[in-house]
Amino acid sequence: MVRVAAGVPMLRDLIPHLQLKRRAADMNARARQFGVLGTLHPLVLAELFLKSGGVCAWCGAILDDAVIVEFDHVTPFRLRGDNTRDNLCVACADCNRRKADKHPARFAQEQAARGIRTPLVTQMLERHSLDAATQGRLALDDDEPAS
């Protein structure tokens, strides 16, 4: 977790402050602990950060000097999410902590209930069309202990 001290137009200048080599190594070590497929490279994290536009994918907060930039595995390891670019998003620390290892559709549902509809929230709600059966299964998933 690193605080960044610049506005969105200076995203490239922030990359050295994000300690991406250390973050990639930590994420890869955690993935190995969980027996999860995939290896992340620091350049993948840099690309993801730049592509995000300096905005949290879950709430839309601008990641400036008041917000800690983190990388979130959209589908957590305990729900068979992998350690790849396609399963990552840029998130503020608050969203990353609140989501924790919840099913992404469950967290998207919580965000929508708070009036937050980012593209990722909308995508998760649509991908997992939340009928009553799905909602019940998500509730059960959240009750299982994390491995």
Side-chain angles (χ1 to χ4, degrees), residues 36-145:
V36 171
L37 297 176
T39 302
L40 296 169
H41 189 278
L43 291 176
V44 168
L45 300 182
E47 178 184 305
L48 185 67
F49 177 70
L50 291 173
K51 186 178 175 184
S52 77
V55 174
C56 174
W58 287 111
C59 72
I62 295 174
L63 303 173
D64 60 15
D65 61 349
V67 180
I68 297 172
V69 176
E70 296 190 358
F71 296 91
D72 174 47
H73 286 91
V74 177
T75 301
F77 293 160
R78 93 172 167 92
L79 296 176
R80 297 186 182 96
D82 54 22
N83 191 42
T84 62
R85 165 194 333 240
D86 293 338
N87 190 38
L88 283 179
C89 71
V90 173
C92 65
D94 182 53
C95 284
N96 202 20
R97 298 295 172 282
R98 286 186 305 105
K99 179 180 164 283
D101 65 351
K102 294 176 185 171
H103 191 285
R106 177 62 168 217
F107 188 63
Q109 190 178 37
E110 292 174 13
Q111 292 295 82
R114 296 173 65 205
I116 298 169
R117 283 286 190 140
T118 65
L120 181 60
V121 169
T122 301
Q123 178 187 13
M124 290 298 111
L125 293 174
E126 290 172 357
R127 179 181 296 166
H128 301 281
S129 59
L130 293 177
D131 56 23
T134 304
Q135 289 179 20
R137 190 175 70 248
L138 294 177
L140 290 175
D141 286 346
D142 287 345
D143 292 337
E144 293 176 10

